[in-house]
Amino acid sequence: MKMDKSSLDAECCALNTVLVEEKKGHLIPNGSAHQGANGTLTISAATGAMSAAQKKQALPERETWTRQMDFMMSCVGFAVGLGNVWRFPYLCYKNGGGVFLIPYVLFIFLGGIPIFFLEIALGQFMKAGSINVWNIAPLFKGLGFASMVIVFFCNTYYIMVLAWGFYYFIKSLSSTLPWSSCDNPWNTENCIVNFRHNECHNGTIGNSTFGNRTCEELANGRSPIIEFWENKVLNISDGLDEPGVINWELLLCLMAVWVMVYFCVWKGVKSTGKIVYVTATFPYVVLIILLVRGVTLPGAYDGIMYYVKPDWSKLGEAQVWIDAGTQIFFSYAIGLGALTALGSYNRFNNDCYKDAFVLAFINSGTSFFSGFVVFSILGFMASEQGVDISKVAESGPGLAFIAYPKAISMMPMAPVWAALFFIMLLLLGLDSQFVGVEGFVTGILDLFPGKYYMRYKREIAVAICCLLCFIIDLSMVTQGGMYVFQLFDYYSASGMTLLWQAFWECVVVAWVYGADRFMDDIARMIGYRPFPWMKWCWSFITPCVCMGIFLFHLLNYKPLTYNNVYVYPWWGEVIGWCLALSSMLCIPVSVVYKLSAAKGTFRERWENLTKPVWGAHHLEYMAPDTDIKSLASLSPGTEENKVIIFESVM
């Protein structure tokens, strides 16, 4: 237990009786002499004392959410992002429609909720960001540094999607959408608006010409939306080794988005908690509007049936189960450390167990709901073009910047619907981005305790973080920027890195610190013990699931390509693996270094390095001799649970 020497003026083992009363199942200080006027704990020794003011000067109180709803909205904003809209619906369609929900829901309870709850509870219990939270087992503090590396890479490349979305939004503010015609400077002679698929397929026009083009030429044509994306937005070069020039329009969009992110984060959770009320809720309004519009279009029913129609034969394919498990880890934002940072701003007695289930339901519900929005529009587009929906179904940026904009261009009042869609896209990504930056900055600032106080410490830290990411992003607004973006996306925050991180989180908490011990700690916070299922998942089920999917990804590794045509050079793959290993190696390297640097036998080193380092708030709320299991037997409103007296040892 770390404390300032000044706090121990005399004997360090005096017993202090702390009177605590239970309110709604929580252990709350009752304002006795052991608590200062400002809410901080005053700890008395036999011949000396540390006042609340002195304690506050030594270590300032951590910020907390103004309202608990601020925390909920921030978690929704961070975890519910672009992947819910552009990845889940496509995976559901590809993997058997409604059948995909069976492995998906199963993995929610086997891996999603247990780790989601673990990260939030750990942050709330330790009152620290992604690095210092592992003071619970200091030997494995490399887990914190690994999550910081991953979230830094995410913050760096994820914002490019927002820059592209902002660019499309600006271009939508016109009477005619620029990607709806072939009359623009960036279009080529192969650009075709109407491909006449029906006529060519049915032999209606045979080998005759249509607009001076044969069916063979029509089949080899390029859509104006693809040319707008590749020739105008990306102005893409021939490969990673040809970076080319900077796209200045895209650079200005990138600067604008980073400025927005900075002013969302610079004042901390007090301001972030307010902004997410807009960024987290408005996308739902737009999704509902787009759904109402989508289901009224011709072909919408066929599109929705393609989305949900069950194909039971898919359940026997391993890839379906792997996709379901990987999607859970992506969409729940597990392993990034940001959930831990958000949880650290909770009140110590917040019921994070209930929050985890509510947030999981919102996250997965949004994913499923988004599928109806996406496939109603794609069904309309397939109907208009006379092709099967499999020809227009896309995932990722292909859906956001090619398929969906193309569908919108066929609708009446297209600019209005385009602007709505890209506002939704921008806000969906914006809160995920600035909460990710918040998590990174929280982890950095936690490394510098109160004695390193500086007036504008947070503002400067956020500015440095944003500026550093922006400098790296300059490589992604060049002609070869898309190749750099894919390197970051495929390797730095891939399924393998997140699964590796989640596996070690479960192992450390369940086997090093102790699953039963952590369940007791949670009971101290929320006033009751969670269902034992959580403990079983942390100890056995979730680590096995994580490692199983991790090995599947490793054994089925395929070199990175762009559009299934361009194959990355060997040195590009080396850079990618360096990005992946930069986070994955943090864990084993830090463990080996700490064990080798310590003194004593291996057993002594292990025991010393796995001994938790408690924070000041633990002195107030924790009691070694309290029987936490007895909390489960207390019934609200009885005499026995009104006042609990326990002793804390200093």
Side-chain angles (χ1 to χ4, degrees):
M1 188 182 296
K2 286 187 176 179
M3 291 199 64
D4 249 321
K5 290 184 179 179
S6 61
S7 65
L8 301 176
D9 293 334
E11 299 156 11
C12 62
C13 296
L15 291 178
N16 296 275
T17 302
V18 181
L19 191 62
V20 174
E21 61 181 273
E22 182 178 311
K23 295 182 180 179
K24 297 181 181 178
H26 304 317
L27 301 179
I28 307 290
N30 69 346
S32 66
H34 292 274
Q35 189 180 11
N38 63 351
T40 57
L41 185 66
T42 303
I43 306 170
S44 302
T47 59
M50 179 173 70
S51 68
Q54 287 173 321
K55 181 179 176 182
K56 186 171 183 179
Q57 185 177 3
L59 190 63
E61 287 186 15
R62 191 175 189 82
E63 280 187 295
T64 56
W65 301 104
T66 306
R67 288 179 293 273
Q68 194 53 35
M69 186 55 68
D70 296 357
F71 164 72
M72 298 291 287
M73 297 304 293
S74 295
C75 285
V76 169
F78 179 64
V80 177
L82 298 172
N84 298 75
V85 175
W86 75 17
R87 194 166 186 268
F88 175 85
Y90 177 78
L91 287 178
C92 194
Y93 149 75
K94 189 186 81 169
N95 291 307
V99 168
F100 182 70
L101 295 177
I102 296 175
Y104 180 79
V105 171
L106 191 62
F107 279 120
I108 287 176
F109 291 98
L110 293 181
I113 293 178
I115 303 183
F116 193 87
F117 172 52
L118 172 67
E119 293 194 357
I120 292 175
L122 201 56
Q124 181 173 313
F125 179 65
M126 295 299 292
K127 289 286 184 185
S130 55
I131 296 178
N132 280 356
V133 76
W134 294 106
N135 280 335
I136 199 168
L139 176 61
F140 293 91
K141 215 167 181 177
L143 267 167
F145 290 102
S147 65
M148 290 287 283
V149 172
I150 296 174
V151 80
F152 176 77
F153 286 148
C154 276
N155 292 339
T156 300
Y157 82 86
Y158 188 83
I159 200 166
M160 282 306 304
V161 181
L162 307 187
W164 294 329
F166 190 59
Y167 184 85
Y168 269 79
F169 171 71
I170 297 298
K171 294 296 182 180
S172 300
L173 304 178
S174 60
S175 57
T176 304
L177 296 176
W179 57 81
S180 61
S181 68
C182 292
D183 305 325
N184 304 289
W186 57 83
N187 293 126
T188 65
E189 59 182 12
N190 293 325
C191 181
I192 301 173
V193 176
N194 192 337
F195 286 81
R196 310 287 290 186
H197 289 289
N198 261 348
E199 290 86 343
C200 287
H201 180 71
N202 297 328
T204 306
I205 62 175
N207 292 323
S208 60
T209 60
F210 176 78
N212 297 325
R213 296 177 188 268
T214 64
C215 281
E216 186 177 349
E217 290 172 332
L218 289 172
N220 295 326
R222 286 168 60 84
S223 169
I225 180 60
I226 294 178
E227 293 203 339
F228 177 78
W229 170 242
E230 293 189 348
N231 299 347
K232 175 62 176 173
V233 181
L234 301 179
N235 193 15
I236 196 165
S237 65
D238 292 329
L240 185 63
D241 54 344
E242 297 180 23
V245 298
I246 289 178
N247 183 333
W248 293 102
E249 288 183 322
L250 206 54
L251 178 63
L252 292 175
C253 290
L254 179 66
M255 289 176 63
V257 176
W258 267 122
V259 169
M260 282 188 264
V261 170
Y262 176 78
F263 285 108
C264 287
V265 178
W266 71 321
K267 289 299 183 183
V269 296
K270 299 296 184 185
S271 60
T272 304
K274 306 298 181 292
I275 296 168
V276 290
Y277 280 90
V278 177
T279 59
T281 56
F282 187 73
Y284 288 96
V285 176
V286 179
L287 278 173
I288 293 171
I289 294 173
L290 290 174
L291 177 65
V292 172
R293 178 57 183 149
V295 296
T296 60
L297 295 169
Y301 175 79
D302 294 330
I304 291 173
M305 290 309 297
Y306 263 93
Y307 170 52
V308 298
K309 185 179 179 181
D311 181 0
W312 297 101
S313 64
K314 292 284 187 179
L315 277 180
E317 298 180 13
Q319 188 62 50
V320 174
W321 294 82
I322 298 302
D323 283 346
T326 306
Q327 174 61 16
I328 289 294
F329 286 91
F330 271 120
S331 65
Y332 279 49
I334 290 167
L336 301 176
L339 293 174
T340 304
L342 294 177
S344 72
Y345 297 117
N346 278 338
R347 293 176 297 104
F348 189 80
N349 303 113
N350 172 60
D351 193 347
C352 53
Y353 183 60
K354 179 186 68 178
D355 292 347
F357 281 92
V358 172
L359 290 168
F361 174 78
I362 293 173
N363 191 315
S364 298
T366 303
S367 297
F368 188 62
F369 176 73
S370 299
F372 291 94
V373 180
V374 170
F375 273 85
S376 63
I377 301 293
L378 293 184
F380 161 71
M381 183 168 74
S383 174
E384 288 292 297
Q385 292 185 340
V387 298
D388 190 83
I389 196 168
S390 61
K391 303 294 183 184
V392 298
E394 292 276 357
S395 175
L399 172 68
F401 302 115
I402 296 177
Y404 214 93
K406 184 176 182 179
I408 289 174
S409 67
M410 300 176 180
M411 296 164 58
M413 300 175 62
V416 175
W417 299 112
L420 267 178
F421 174 74
F422 288 111
I423 286 176
M424 179 197 72
L425 205 69
L426 189 62
L427 293 179
L428 269 177
L430 188 61
D431 46 15
S432 298
Q433 178 72 25
F434 70 66
V435 173
V437 172
E438 173 66 46
F440 181 80
V441 172
T442 297
I444 294 295
L445 292 180
D446 281 350
L447 295 176
F448 302 96
K451 60 183 179 180
Y452 296 105
Y453 175 76
M454 184 188 302
R455 185 175 181 184
Y456 296 109
K457 183 168 68 173
R458 162 171 279 278
E459 290 85 345
I460 293 172
V462 174
I464 292 173
C465 172
C466 293
L467 182 61
L468 187 58
C469 291
F470 175 76
I471 292 171
I472 299 174
D473 286 334
L474 292 178
S475 64
M476 300 184 201
V477 293
T478 61
Q479 290 175 282
M482 188 59 176
Y483 303 110
V484 180
F485 173 85
Q486 277 207 322
L487 268 182
F488 275 81
D489 185 44
Y490 195 73
Y491 290 100
S492 67
S494 64
M496 285 197 296
T497 56
L498 298 179
L499 290 163
W500 177 260
Q501 182 78 5
F503 169 80
W504 282 106
E505 285 181 5
C506 290
V507 168
V508 172
V509 170
W511 294 102
V512 179
Y513 181 74
D516 284 315
R517 189 179 180 185
F518 191 57
M519 290 284 277
D520 290 345
D521 296 334
I522 292 171
R524 284 189 174 95
M525 291 193 296
I526 66 177
Y528 61 91
R529 293 177 66 83
F531 189 66
W533 173 257
M534 289 294 173
K535 179 179 68 175
W536 302 334
C537 284
W538 297 335
S539 303
F540 305 104
I541 302 172
T542 306
C544 291
V545 168
C546 292
M547 189 49 62
I549 301 176
F550 174 84
L551 292 175
F552 183 90
H553 276 289
L554 197 61
L555 295 174
N556 291 275
Y557 168 76
K558 295 178 182 177
L560 179 60
T561 61
Y562 177 72
N563 273 354
N564 296 320
V565 176
Y566 173 75
V567 179
Y568 278 67
W570 67 268
W571 54 269
E573 284 200 64
V574 169
I575 293 173
W577 277 107
C578 287
L579 293 173
L581 293 175
S582 62
S583 63
M584 295 172 68
L585 290 178
C586 284
I587 303 166
V589 168
S590 67
V591 169
V592 171
Y593 171 76
K594 288 191 174 188
L595 284 174
S596 60
K599 296 180 180 180
T601 64
F602 180 81
R603 183 184 182 88
E604 290 171 342
R605 298 181 192 189
W606 179 270
E607 288 179 352
N608 289 331
L609 291 172
T610 56
K611 190 177 298 181
V613 178
W614 300 123
H617 67 284
H618 291 110
L619 299 177
E620 180 176 356
Y621 289 105
M622 292 178 63
D625 299 327
T626 304
D627 183 10
I628 296 302
K629 293 181 181 178
S630 66
L631 288 175
S633 64
L634 295 180
S635 54
T638 59
E639 276 306 312
E640 61 180 343
N641 75 344
K642 287 183 180 178
V643 177
I644 301 174
I645 300 177
F646 62 82
E647 292 182 331
S648 63
V649 180
M650 277 188 51

